[in-house]
Amino acid sequence: MADEQKTETTANAGADTGAAKLTQEEVDRIVAQRLAREREKYADYDDLRKKAETLEAEAKQRAEAEMTEVEKLKSQLSAKEKEVSELTVDREWRQTWEQREVEALNEEMNNLTDGQRNIVNALPLDQRRAAIREFQASVARGPHAGKGGKPEGVPSLDELEEIKLKYGPGSQRWREAYRKYKEAQTRT
């Protein structure tokens, strides 16, 4: 059986070689045609590669530009957050300071009359301390100290406040009483 297979293979091989004999020129022509078809298939490969590289470069530049913009925005955001934080700390410090200042001023106003307290409380916070000092000085020396009491017709601070509340700060009576009070203070 092995001999039969060898003879069939040899016979088939001989038949193939006899039926299709090609010259070297024909083989070269066939190979050249095949190569030409393959080259045509990839003829625009260089152009496509250049376009792809250009697109990749542009995409990279856009990404970098966007990242730069994002980084700028992040930087601006962090700067604003820092500013807000500083303002918050400043506001909290100011509120604490004002609260302590009001407490200290309230303690200093203990020896003032109700009218004087009302006047002081109507002033802005930064002017209150000076007004309290002025009232305390006038209480210590008295508007009519050394004269054996107050002269007739000169109102006290409480009386000034009552006139102001009753007739108004722009009224003729209040202006006259205030003028008399100031004249009496400057004489002492």
Side-chain angles (χ1 to χ4, degrees):
M1 252 229 236
D3 290 330
E4 289 177 13
Q5 286 179 351
K6 283 182 185 179
T7 53
E8 280 181 28
T9 308
T10 312
N12 287 340
D16 288 338
T17 54
K21 283 194 176 187
L22 297 174
T23 62
Q24 186 61 40
E25 291 175 358
E26 291 175 335
V27 170
D28 289 343
R29 185 182 49 80
I30 293 172
V31 169
Q33 287 175 348
R34 179 74 183 252
L35 286 174
R37 283 194 310 256
E38 287 297 316
R39 285 186 187 133
E40 285 178 20
K41 194 188 263 186
Y42 298 107
D44 60 348
Y45 175 77
D46 289 334
D47 293 336
L48 291 175
R49 190 185 76 211
K50 287 179 184 178
K51 286 181 182 178
E53 288 174 355
T54 304
L55 289 174
E56 287 176 6
E58 289 174 358
K60 185 177 179 182
Q61 288 176 349
R62 278 194 305 269
E64 287 176 0
E66 288 174 4
M67 285 300 253
T68 304
E69 189 67 28
V70 167
E71 289 171 357
K72 287 179 187 176
L73 291 174
K74 284 182 181 179
S75 173
Q76 290 174 354
L77 177 63
S78 65
K80 292 293 183 186
E81 286 174 344
K82 182 179 178 184
E83 186 179 333
V84 166
S85 174
E86 290 173 356
L87 289 173
T88 302
V89 168
D90 186 49
R91 182 177 47 90
E92 290 172 356
W93 178 85
R94 185 175 304 280
Q95 286 175 341
T96 303
W97 176 83
E98 286 177 354
Q99 183 180 4
R100 288 180 182 163
E101 186 71 12
V102 167
E103 290 171 2
L105 291 173
N106 286 338
E107 287 181 24
E108 290 184 27
M109 288 193 306
N110 283 339
N111 61 347
L112 299 179
T113 64
D114 288 339
Q116 291 170 333
R117 282 190 198 125
N118 290 339
I119 292 171
V120 169
N121 286 332
L123 295 173
L125 189 61
D126 59 335
Q127 296 176 6
R128 289 180 187 180
R129 190 170 301 280
I132 291 171
R133 298 282 186 256
E134 184 179 325
F135 286 136
Q136 288 174 340
S138 70
V139 168
R141 69 174 188 270
H144 316 290
K147 295 186 179 180
K150 97 176 172 175
E152 189 177 324
V154 177
S156 67
L157 283 176
D158 288 332
E159 291 170 339
L160 270 178
E161 184 63 27
E162 288 175 20
I163 293 170
K164 181 179 175 183
L165 290 173
K166 187 172 183 180
Y167 298 104
S171 68
Q172 180 67 30
R173 284 192 180 186
W174 184 83
R175 285 193 307 251
E176 184 65 30
Y178 184 76
R179 185 187 56 75
K180 287 180 183 178
Y181 174 79
K182 280 297 189 184
E183 284 177 2
Q185 272 191 326
T186 55
R187 280 188 248 146
T188 57

